[in-house]
Amino acid sequence: MDTFALVVTILVALFFTYTNGFHDSANAIATSVSTRALTPKAALAMAAVMNLAGAFLGSGVAKTVSEGLIETPKGSTGMGILFAALLGAITWNLVTWYFGLPSSSSHALFGGMVGAALAGGTQVYWHGVIDKIVIPMFVSPVVGMIIGYLVMTAIMWIFRRANPHKAKRGFRIAQTVSAAGMALGHGLQDAQKTMGIVVMALVIADVEDYGDPIPLWVKIACAVMLSLGTYAGGWRIMRTLGRKIIELDPPQGFAAETTGASIMFTTAFLFKAPISTTHVITSAIMGVGATKRVNAVRWGVAKNIILGWFITMPAAATVAACAFGLVHLAFL
Protein backbone atom coordinates (compact mmCIF):
# COMPACT_ATOMS: atom_id res chain seq x y z
CA MET A 1 0.00 0.00 0.00
CA ASP A 2 2.86 2.40 0.90
CA THR A 3 4.58 1.79 -2.45
CA PHE A 4 1.27 2.21 -4.27
CA ALA A 5 0.62 5.50 -2.43
CA LEU A 6 4.13 6.72 -3.32
CA VAL A 7 3.72 5.86 -7.01
CA VAL A 8 0.28 7.52 -7.18
CA THR A 9 1.56 10.67 -5.43
CA ILE A 10 4.55 10.93 -7.80
CA LEU A 11 2.29 10.45 -10.85
CA VAL A 12 -0.07 13.16 -9.57
CA ALA A 13 2.95 15.45 -8.99
CA LEU A 14 4.07 14.87 -12.58
CA PHE A 15 0.55 15.60 -13.81
CA PHE A 16 0.67 18.86 -11.81
CA THR A 17 3.91 19.72 -13.64
CA TYR A 18 2.18 19.00 -16.95
CA THR A 19 -0.71 21.36 -16.05
CA ASN A 20 1.88 23.89 -14.90
CA GLY A 21 3.53 23.63 -18.34
CA PHE A 22 0.41 24.28 -20.41
CA HIS A 23 -0.87 26.84 -17.87
CA ASP A 24 2.38 28.81 -17.88
CA SER A 25 3.62 28.32 -21.45
CA ALA A 26 1.97 31.66 -22.13
CA ASN A 27 4.39 33.33 -19.68
CA ALA A 28 7.38 32.45 -21.82
CA ILE A 29 6.01 33.03 -25.29
CA ALA A 30 2.83 35.17 -25.32
CA THR A 31 4.75 38.38 -25.94
CA SER A 32 6.89 36.98 -28.78
CA VAL A 33 3.84 35.35 -30.45
CA SER A 34 1.67 38.49 -30.14
CA THR A 35 4.40 40.66 -31.72
CA ARG A 36 4.83 38.01 -34.46
CA ALA A 37 8.51 37.59 -33.57
CA LEU A 38 7.86 33.84 -33.50
CA THR A 39 5.14 31.59 -34.90
CA PRO A 40 3.13 29.83 -32.18
CA LYS A 41 4.54 26.39 -33.05
CA ALA A 42 8.15 27.59 -33.18
CA ALA A 43 7.66 29.49 -29.91
CA LEU A 44 6.18 26.46 -28.15
CA ALA A 45 8.95 24.16 -29.39
CA MET A 46 11.62 26.63 -28.27
CA ALA A 47 9.95 27.10 -24.88
CA ALA A 48 9.70 23.32 -24.36
CA VAL A 49 13.43 22.83 -25.07
CA MET A 50 14.48 25.76 -22.85
CA ASN A 51 12.18 24.58 -20.04
CA LEU A 52 13.96 21.23 -20.18
CA ALA A 53 17.38 22.89 -20.03
CA GLY A 54 16.36 25.28 -17.25
CA ALA A 55 15.29 22.43 -14.99
CA PHE A 56 18.92 21.30 -14.65
CA LEU A 57 20.40 24.70 -13.76
CA GLY A 58 20.02 24.54 -9.98
CA SER A 59 18.24 23.02 -6.98
CA GLY A 60 17.86 25.91 -4.51
CA VAL A 61 14.16 26.42 -5.24
CA ALA A 62 13.46 22.67 -4.89
CA LYS A 63 15.17 22.69 -1.47
CA THR A 64 13.00 25.61 -0.31
CA VAL A 65 9.84 23.75 -1.40
CA SER A 66 10.81 20.38 0.12
CA GLU A 67 12.31 21.64 3.40
CA GLY A 68 11.34 25.26 4.04
CA LEU A 69 7.52 25.52 3.95
CA ILE A 70 5.98 22.65 5.91
CA GLU A 71 7.38 19.99 8.23
CA THR A 72 7.94 16.79 6.26
CA PRO A 73 4.89 14.75 7.31
CA LYS A 74 5.20 11.10 8.27
CA GLY A 75 3.70 7.83 7.04
CA SER A 76 0.46 7.36 5.14
CA THR A 77 -0.98 10.60 6.58
CA GLY A 78 2.03 12.44 5.15
CA MET A 79 1.46 10.94 1.72
CA GLY A 80 -2.22 11.87 1.97
CA ILE A 81 -1.23 15.48 2.74
CA LEU A 82 1.02 15.67 -0.33
CA PHE A 83 -1.66 14.05 -2.52
CA ALA A 84 -4.30 16.54 -1.28
CA ALA A 85 -1.91 19.49 -1.78
CA LEU A 86 -1.36 18.48 -5.40
CA LEU A 87 -5.08 17.96 -5.95
CA GLY A 88 -5.80 21.48 -4.67
CA ALA A 89 -3.14 22.96 -6.97
CA ILE A 90 -4.27 21.00 -10.05
CA THR A 91 -7.93 21.95 -9.50
CA TRP A 92 -7.08 25.65 -9.28
CA ASN A 93 -4.80 25.42 -12.34
CA LEU A 94 -7.59 23.88 -14.42
CA VAL A 95 -10.22 26.37 -13.22
CA THR A 96 -8.04 29.42 -14.00
CA TRP A 97 -6.91 27.91 -17.31
CA TYR A 98 -10.55 27.39 -18.32
CA PHE A 99 -11.33 31.07 -17.66
CA GLY A 100 -8.10 32.23 -19.33
CA LEU A 101 -6.80 33.81 -16.12
CA PRO A 102 -3.00 33.86 -15.78
CA SER A 103 -2.90 32.91 -12.10
CA SER A 104 0.19 31.41 -10.51
CA SER A 105 0.68 27.62 -10.61
CA SER A 106 3.41 28.10 -8.01
CA HIS A 107 1.12 29.80 -5.52
CA ALA A 108 -1.58 27.22 -6.21
CA LEU A 109 0.96 24.57 -5.14
CA PHE A 110 2.09 26.49 -2.05
CA GLY A 111 -1.52 27.19 -1.06
CA GLY A 112 -2.30 23.49 -1.53
CA MET A 113 0.66 22.51 0.69
CA VAL A 114 -0.36 24.89 3.47
CA GLY A 115 -4.06 23.94 3.33
CA ALA A 116 -3.38 20.18 3.33
CA ALA A 117 -0.76 20.51 6.10
CA LEU A 118 -3.18 22.44 8.33
CA ALA A 119 -5.96 19.92 7.67
CA GLY A 120 -3.58 17.01 8.37
CA GLY A 121 -2.17 18.46 11.59
CA THR A 122 1.33 19.01 10.21
CA GLN A 123 3.40 22.03 11.20
CA VAL A 124 3.56 24.91 8.73
CA TYR A 125 6.81 26.91 8.83
CA TRP A 126 5.11 30.30 8.73
CA HIS A 127 8.40 32.21 8.70
CA GLY A 128 9.38 30.25 5.55
CA VAL A 129 5.97 30.84 3.95
CA ILE A 130 6.14 34.59 4.70
CA ASP A 131 9.85 35.08 3.78
CA LYS A 132 9.99 32.88 0.70
CA ILE A 133 6.42 33.03 -0.63
CA VAL A 134 4.28 35.92 0.65
CA ILE A 135 6.89 38.73 0.59
CA PRO A 136 8.19 37.79 -2.91
CA MET A 137 4.54 37.52 -4.05
CA PHE A 138 4.06 41.22 -3.24
CA VAL A 139 7.56 42.45 -4.08
CA SER A 140 8.23 40.68 -7.41
CA PRO A 141 5.29 42.23 -9.35
CA VAL A 142 6.24 45.73 -8.09
CA VAL A 143 9.87 45.14 -9.08
CA GLY A 144 8.71 43.68 -12.42
CA MET A 145 6.59 46.74 -13.15
CA ILE A 146 9.31 49.26 -12.19
CA ILE A 147 12.13 47.46 -14.04
CA GLY A 148 9.89 46.91 -17.09
CA TYR A 149 9.13 50.63 -17.16
CA LEU A 150 12.83 51.57 -16.78
CA VAL A 151 14.07 49.07 -19.40
CA MET A 152 11.48 50.27 -21.92
CA THR A 153 12.31 53.92 -21.17
CA ALA A 154 16.02 53.17 -21.74
CA ILE A 155 15.25 51.40 -25.06
CA MET A 156 13.13 54.33 -26.24
CA TRP A 157 15.92 56.78 -25.39
CA ILE A 158 18.74 54.70 -26.94
CA PHE A 159 16.82 54.11 -30.18
CA ARG A 160 15.11 57.51 -30.34
CA ARG A 161 16.86 58.39 -33.64
CA ALA A 162 16.71 54.91 -35.18
CA ASN A 163 14.57 54.06 -38.20
CA PRO A 164 11.35 52.64 -36.61
CA HIS A 165 10.98 49.82 -39.18
CA LYS A 166 14.62 48.72 -38.86
CA ALA A 167 14.44 48.90 -35.07
CA LYS A 168 11.28 46.79 -34.97
CA ARG A 169 12.86 44.20 -37.25
CA GLY A 170 15.94 44.07 -35.03
CA PHE A 171 13.87 43.70 -31.86
CA ARG A 172 11.82 40.95 -33.47
CA ILE A 173 15.06 38.96 -33.86
CA ALA A 174 16.20 39.94 -30.34
CA GLN A 175 12.89 38.67 -28.97
CA THR A 176 13.79 35.09 -29.89
CA VAL A 177 16.68 35.42 -27.41
CA SER A 178 14.64 37.15 -24.68
CA ALA A 179 11.80 34.59 -25.06
CA ALA A 180 14.36 31.77 -24.76
CA GLY A 181 15.72 33.40 -21.58
CA MET A 182 12.18 33.62 -20.21
CA ALA A 183 11.55 29.92 -20.95
CA LEU A 184 14.90 28.97 -19.39
CA GLY A 185 13.96 30.90 -16.23
CA HIS A 186 10.54 29.19 -16.21
CA GLY A 187 12.24 25.77 -16.30
CA LEU A 188 14.66 26.83 -13.56
CA GLN A 189 11.82 28.00 -11.31
CA ASP A 190 8.84 25.75 -12.02
CA ALA A 191 10.35 22.31 -12.67
CA GLN A 192 12.17 22.60 -9.34
CA LYS A 193 8.94 23.17 -7.43
CA THR A 194 7.66 19.73 -8.41
CA MET A 195 11.10 18.21 -7.77
CA GLY A 196 10.73 19.45 -4.18
CA ILE A 197 7.34 17.70 -3.85
CA VAL A 198 8.63 14.40 -5.30
CA VAL A 199 11.65 14.52 -2.94
CA MET A 200 9.25 15.01 0.00
CA ALA A 201 7.27 11.95 -1.14
CA LEU A 202 10.48 9.89 -1.34
CA VAL A 203 11.51 11.01 2.18
CA ILE A 204 8.05 10.14 3.57
CA ALA A 205 8.32 6.65 1.98
CA ASP A 206 11.87 6.19 3.42
CA VAL A 207 13.32 5.85 -0.09
CA GLU A 208 15.46 8.99 0.43
CA ASP A 209 16.88 10.62 3.55
CA TYR A 210 16.14 14.22 4.54
CA GLY A 211 18.68 16.53 2.88
CA ASP A 212 19.80 14.04 0.18
CA PRO A 213 20.53 15.47 -3.29
CA ILE A 214 17.71 15.30 -5.85
CA PRO A 215 17.93 12.01 -7.80
CA LEU A 216 18.65 12.42 -11.51
CA TRP A 217 15.50 10.55 -12.56
CA VAL A 218 13.37 13.04 -10.57
CA LYS A 219 15.00 15.97 -12.40
CA ILE A 220 14.50 14.32 -15.80
CA ALA A 221 10.87 13.30 -15.12
CA CYS A 222 9.85 16.77 -13.86
CA ALA A 223 11.69 18.55 -16.68
CA VAL A 224 10.18 16.34 -19.40
CA MET A 225 6.62 16.69 -18.05
CA LEU A 226 6.96 20.47 -17.80
CA SER A 227 8.24 20.55 -21.39
CA LEU A 228 5.42 18.34 -22.66
CA GLY A 229 2.87 20.56 -20.91
CA THR A 230 4.51 23.64 -22.37
CA TYR A 231 4.36 22.17 -25.86
CA ALA A 232 0.65 21.39 -25.36
CA GLY A 233 0.28 25.17 -24.99
CA GLY A 234 -2.17 27.34 -23.05
CA TRP A 235 -3.85 29.36 -25.78
CA ARG A 236 -6.57 30.85 -23.59
CA ILE A 237 -4.06 32.46 -21.23
CA MET A 238 -1.81 33.47 -24.13
CA ARG A 239 -4.58 35.68 -25.50
CA THR A 240 -4.94 37.45 -22.14
CA LEU A 241 -1.21 38.07 -21.72
CA GLY A 242 -0.37 38.83 -25.32
CA ARG A 243 -3.28 41.02 -26.35
CA LYS A 244 -5.78 41.87 -23.62
CA ILE A 245 -3.48 43.73 -21.21
CA ILE A 246 -1.90 45.83 -23.97
CA GLU A 247 -1.06 45.47 -27.67
CA LEU A 248 2.70 44.93 -27.64
CA ASP A 249 5.23 45.79 -30.35
CA PRO A 250 8.64 43.98 -30.63
CA PRO A 251 10.69 46.48 -28.52
CA GLN A 252 8.06 46.27 -25.76
CA GLY A 253 7.98 42.47 -25.98
CA PHE A 254 11.77 42.35 -25.72
CA ALA A 255 11.76 44.70 -22.69
CA ALA A 256 9.07 42.67 -20.88
CA GLU A 257 10.76 39.31 -21.50
CA THR A 258 14.23 40.58 -20.56
CA THR A 259 12.82 42.00 -17.33
CA GLY A 260 10.95 38.79 -16.47
CA ALA A 261 13.92 36.50 -17.19
CA SER A 262 16.41 38.61 -15.20
CA ILE A 263 14.12 38.65 -12.13
CA MET A 264 13.60 34.87 -12.27
CA PHE A 265 17.31 34.11 -12.48
CA THR A 266 18.14 36.56 -9.68
CA THR A 267 15.53 35.18 -7.27
CA ALA A 268 16.41 31.53 -8.03
CA PHE A 269 20.18 31.88 -7.64
CA LEU A 270 20.52 34.65 -5.02
CA PHE A 271 17.49 34.12 -2.77
CA LYS A 272 16.43 30.52 -3.64
CA ALA A 273 12.92 31.97 -3.60
CA PRO A 274 10.25 30.20 -5.68
CA ILE A 275 8.59 33.20 -7.33
CA SER A 276 5.75 33.15 -9.82
CA THR A 277 6.69 33.46 -13.49
CA THR A 278 3.11 34.62 -14.08
CA HIS A 279 3.37 37.51 -11.63
CA VAL A 280 6.71 38.65 -13.01
CA ILE A 281 5.90 38.65 -16.75
CA THR A 282 2.42 40.13 -16.26
CA SER A 283 3.72 43.00 -14.14
CA ALA A 284 6.63 43.55 -16.57
CA ILE A 285 4.10 43.84 -19.44
CA MET A 286 2.14 46.41 -17.39
CA GLY A 287 5.32 48.42 -16.63
CA VAL A 288 6.40 48.36 -20.27
CA GLY A 289 2.92 49.34 -21.45
CA ALA A 290 2.78 52.29 -19.04
CA THR A 291 5.65 53.96 -20.95
CA LYS A 292 3.26 54.54 -23.89
CA ARG A 293 0.81 56.28 -21.63
CA VAL A 294 -0.67 55.04 -18.39
CA ASN A 295 -4.13 54.46 -19.90
CA ALA A 296 -2.64 52.33 -22.71
CA VAL A 297 -2.70 49.44 -20.24
CA ARG A 298 -6.16 47.93 -19.89
CA TRP A 299 -6.22 48.24 -16.10
CA GLY A 300 -9.61 46.51 -15.86
CA VAL A 301 -8.08 43.29 -17.22
CA ALA A 302 -5.01 43.87 -15.02
CA LYS A 303 -7.25 44.29 -11.94
CA ASN A 304 -8.95 40.92 -12.61
CA ILE A 305 -5.55 39.25 -13.00
CA ILE A 306 -4.24 40.76 -9.74
CA LEU A 307 -7.44 39.69 -7.97
CA GLY A 308 -6.74 36.17 -9.24
CA TRP A 309 -3.26 36.34 -7.71
CA PHE A 310 -4.63 37.22 -4.28
CA ILE A 311 -7.25 34.50 -4.16
CA THR A 312 -5.02 31.73 -5.59
CA MET A 313 -3.32 30.65 -2.34
CA PRO A 314 -6.44 30.66 -0.12
CA ALA A 315 -8.57 29.03 -2.87
CA ALA A 316 -6.02 26.23 -3.50
CA ALA A 317 -5.57 25.83 0.28
CA THR A 318 -9.33 25.40 0.76
CA VAL A 319 -9.60 22.82 -2.06
CA ALA A 320 -6.55 20.95 -0.67
CA ALA A 321 -7.98 20.92 2.89
CA CYS A 322 -11.27 19.49 1.56
CA ALA A 323 -9.34 16.95 -0.54
CA PHE A 324 -7.40 15.85 2.54
CA GLY A 325 -10.69 15.37 4.40
CA LEU A 326 -11.92 13.06 1.62
CA VAL A 327 -8.60 11.17 1.44
CA HIS A 328 -8.64 10.78 5.23
CA LEU A 329 -12.20 9.39 5.17
CA ALA A 330 -11.53 7.01 2.27
CA PHE A 331 -8.01 5.70 2.93
CA LEU A 332 -6.51 6.75 6.28
Side-chain angles (χ1 to χ4, degrees):
M1 180 63 186
D2 287 349
T3 307
F4 177 73
L6 173 65
V7 170
V8 168
T9 304
I10 289 173
L11 289 175
V12 173
L14 293 176
F15 180 67
F16 166 76
T17 309
Y18 181 83
T19 67
N20 188 345
F22 76 69
H23 195 278
D24 288 4
S25 57
N27 298 340
I29 61 173
T31 47
S32 46
V33 170
S34 72
T35 61
R36 296 184 176 81
L38 292 167
T39 64
K41 277 193 173 172
L44 282 169
M46 179 274 294
V49 170
M50 298 310 275
N51 272 184
L52 194 64
F56 292 94
L57 289 181
S59 58
V61 171
K63 198 171 174 63
T64 297
V65 172
S66 63
E67 298 174 15
L69 303 180
I70 64 171
E71 181 186 13
T72 303
K74 304 284 189 292
S76 55
T77 302
M79 208 63 83
I81 287 170
L82 278 195
F83 180 80
L86 289 162
L87 218 57
I90 289 167
T91 303
W92 188 249
N93 267 0
L94 294 175
V95 168
T96 50
W97 166 80
Y98 181 79
F99 290 107
L101 202 69
S103 73
S104 166
S105 294
S106 311
H107 289 90
L109 179 62
F110 306 142
M113 287 173 74
V114 169
L118 290 173
T122 290
Q123 186 187 352
V124 175
Y125 299 141
W126 290 109
H127 61 90
V129 172
I130 290 165
D131 291 352
K132 298 288 188 182
I133 308 300
V134 177
I135 290 173
M137 182 172 87
F138 286 102
V139 172
S140 62
V142 175
V143 171
M145 200 177 277
I146 292 168
I147 294 178
Y149 183 88
L150 294 174
V151 169
M152 192 61 217
T153 303
I155 286 172
M156 284 159 67
W157 190 82
I158 292 164
F159 292 93
R160 67 192 184 282
R161 292 195 178 92
N163 179 303
H165 293 296
K166 276 187 180 173
K168 278 190 179 179
R169 201 178 310 125
F171 275 107
R172 211 165 256 145
I173 295 162
Q175 258 201 284
T176 57
V177 179
S178 59
M182 191 72 206
L184 197 67
H186 181 226
L188 170 67
Q189 277 279 349
D190 283 25
Q192 281 192 52
K193 290 160 192 168
T194 309
M195 288 178 206
I197 293 289
V198 174
V199 166
M200 279 183 90
L202 295 171
V203 170
I204 291 167
D206 283 331
V207 176
E208 290 271 310
D209 289 325
Y210 191 80
D212 278 358
I214 302 168
L216 182 62
W217 70 265
V218 174
K219 289 186 177 184
I220 292 169
C222 292
V224 167
M225 288 305 284
L226 186 72
S227 288
L228 289 173
T230 297
Y231 194 68
W235 301 108
R236 289 169 186 267
I237 292 167
M238 209 177 293
R239 277 198 295 274
T240 303
L241 274 181
R243 291 285 165 88
K244 284 187 183 172
I245 297 174
I246 184 170
E247 295 281 343
L248 292 169
D249 61 21
Q252 291 172 326
F254 174 80
E257 288 168 345
T258 303
T259 300
S262 57
I263 292 172
M264 283 193 290
F265 282 109
T266 304
T267 49
F269 289 122
L270 281 188
F271 306 111
K272 297 177 173 50
I275 63 155
S276 165
T277 50
T278 312
H279 291 187
V280 169
I281 190 63
T282 309
S283 57
I285 290 170
M286 289 178 201
V288 164
T291 58
K292 258 186 180 174
R293 57 185 191 283
V294 173
N295 63 358
V297 179
R298 297 185 183 106
W299 295 107
V301 176
K303 184 188 74 179
N304 291 342
I305 290 168
I306 291 165
L307 196 65
W309 294 354
F310 284 113
I311 62 172
T312 289
M313 275 187 78
T318 305
V319 175
C322 295
F324 179 78
L326 294 172
V327 169
H328 187 74
L329 279 175
F331 301 109
L332 303 175

